[in-house]
Amino acid sequence: MKDFISKKQSLTLTKMLLVTLTLTLMLTITLMLPSPTSAASKEYEIYKKIKTGMTATEVSKLIYGKSYKKHLEKFLGVTTFNSEPTYADVRDGRHVYEFGFFESERKIDDSSIFNISIGLFSKKNGNTLYVGYKNYQPENTSETRLYKGKKPTLGMSIKQLDNIAYGKKLGTYYDHTYENMTFLKFLDNKGKNIHPDKKTRVSYLLKSYDKKTNYHVYLEYNYKKKEYYVTMIF
């Protein structure tokens, strides 16, 4: 009987540990990738699946499925998308492109945006393009009003920023960017990697209580503290 109770207790403790680890992982993911409140969409789900280091072909399969080959072409020796890039540069043995996908209209100002943008880079003298960064812009961006007498300041955490936001709090972000170009080895003239770390950024649109002052606030994720902090305000 004692052995039975011991095994039962052990199983219960194991289940509790698994639940705790799962909740911790979910919280970490939530902090790294704040979900737009309006983003239960196909585009957002695709954005989450795009990983840095993916090739152009792999991204095309993810976005277009079985018809992915129709959206690719060979250009200057590399396989890339056959749509018009938003940026293109070939120099010093590297190919650099940016492409946008899922064009839509941002409702807050009727501007044309791409829900998803990716930066594609070749390695030095390489002929394969890899994702170095990705960006997501929801069309239903919030413009959040702040409490009276409150304003964003540099170094403020996302929690502190949320606490001074009126009504529905920060709401839906303006854009989200994840970058990891460490593997591409962009070196300076001393041989140092100029992109040594991965980076995650998110930005929000805020208004003062009297609606006279607009703020575009950028926050960067601190991987050690597992929290976003304000790094720029415009």
Side-chain angles (χ1 to χ4, degrees):
M1 184 66 175
K2 287 183 179 179
D3 288 342
F4 173 74
I5 293 173
S6 177
K7 289 178 181 177
K8 188 175 180 181
Q9 288 175 333
S10 177
L11 183 61
T12 301
L13 287 171
T14 300
K15 286 181 178 178
M16 289 174 66
L17 179 60
L18 285 172
V19 169
T20 302
L21 288 172
T22 301
L23 288 173
T24 302
L25 179 61
M26 288 174 64
L27 178 59
T28 301
I29 292 171
T30 300
L31 288 172
M32 288 180 64
L33 188 62
S35 297
T37 56
S38 63
S41 64
K42 179 188 77 172
E43 294 82 8
Y44 186 61
E45 293 306 311
I46 289 173
Y47 175 73
K48 289 194 292 183
K49 291 175 183 176
I50 294 173
K51 308 296 181 186
T52 52
M54 276 185 169
T55 65
T57 300
E58 289 172 327
V59 175
S60 189
K61 286 180 180 179
L62 192 58
I63 294 174
Y64 300 111
K66 293 180 180 180
S67 66
Y68 76 95
K69 290 182 181 178
K70 296 179 181 178
H71 302 275
L72 296 171
E73 68 176 0
K74 204 82 169 179
F75 181 69
L76 296 178
V78 300
T79 298
T80 183
F81 289 92
N82 57 19
S83 56
E84 189 73 24
T86 55
Y87 177 82
D89 188 23
V90 181
R91 70 172 77 176
D92 300 327
R94 287 189 191 269
H95 296 254
V96 180
Y97 301 95
E98 183 178 272
F99 288 94
F101 306 91
F102 306 109
E103 191 170 5
S104 61
E105 190 174 273
R106 199 188 288 281
K107 293 177 173 55
I108 198 168
D109 57 7
D110 297 326
S111 61
S112 179
I113 61 169
F114 289 107
N115 290 133
I116 296 175
S117 295
I118 60 170
L120 292 171
F121 304 81
S122 72
K123 294 180 181 180
K124 185 77 170 178
N125 298 319
N127 56 8
T128 302
L129 293 176
Y130 301 94
V131 176
Y133 64 83
K134 63 176 184 174
N135 174 270
Y136 184 80
Q137 297 187 71
E139 57 264 31
N140 293 314
T141 297
S142 298
E143 192 172 36
T144 306
R145 192 175 169 196
L146 300 174
Y147 282 116
K148 192 172 184 177
K150 300 294 183 181
K151 65 179 182 179
T153 57
L154 293 175
M156 186 177 279
S157 72
I158 196 169
K159 292 178 183 177
Q160 291 172 321
L161 194 62
D162 194 57
N163 285 337
I164 65 171
Y166 188 82
K168 295 181 180 179
K169 302 299 182 181
L170 289 176
T172 304
Y173 56 64
Y174 185 83
D175 77 329
H176 181 278
T177 304
Y178 175 73
E179 172 192 306
N180 185 359
M181 305 203 330
T182 57
F183 67 98
L184 294 166
K185 300 192 184 305
F186 280 85
L187 306 178
D188 63 17
N189 53 17
K190 294 182 179 179
K192 280 191 172 183
N193 195 339
I194 62 175
H195 299 289
D197 303 303
K198 60 184 178 181
K199 295 180 180 179
T200 304
R201 305 179 189 90
V202 65
S203 72
Y204 291 90
L205 297 182
L206 306 175
K207 272 186 175 293
S208 60
Y209 183 79
D210 60 10
K211 299 182 180 180
K212 292 181 180 180
T213 306
N214 298 316
Y215 303 99
H216 193 164
V217 182
Y218 290 81
L219 302 97
E220 189 164 322
Y221 188 74
N222 184 308
Y223 284 86
K224 289 183 179 179
K225 296 182 179 180
K226 294 181 169 55
E227 176 67 291
Y228 283 92
Y229 294 92
V230 176
T231 54
M232 291 187 293
I233 305 170
F234 294 100

